[in-house]
Amino acid sequence: MVLRNEDGSVIFAAYRYFFHCNDALEAEIHAIMQGMALAIEHSDKPVIVQSDSSNALAVLSGDTLSRSVYGHLDAEIKAHLVVREFVPCKIGSEQNRVAH
């Protein structure tokens, strides 16, 4: 997770291992959720959430209750959306070199 200010300079960066994920989608949703929590702690401005996973970003824009196996993560992300404005932004995997 990389938090940047308006001019693109890095405020801070963090990483974490997820040892018990069922698949890449679960890892991406976890990373988004953790990044949102850190952004709430370290910034008071709206946050653009960039990911190369459109399925993971769909959690941010979905208004309905998720009945998927990741519904508990969906609920935590929805709780973060109440606190701060988060704008989902799909990027290409070539733009996501930090994560790979």
Side-chain angles (χ1 to χ4, degrees), residues 29-43:
I29 293 171
H30 267 290
I32 288 173
M33 182 185 67
Q34 294 294 320
M36 291 171 74
L38 287 170
I40 288 170
E41 289 179 27
H42 296 281
S43 175

Side-chain angles (χ1 to χ4, degrees), residues 1-2 4 13 95-100:
M1 200 287 287
V2 178
R4 301 177 187 269
Q95 294 174 294
N96 196 10
R97 285 185 229 139
V98 172
H100 299 286

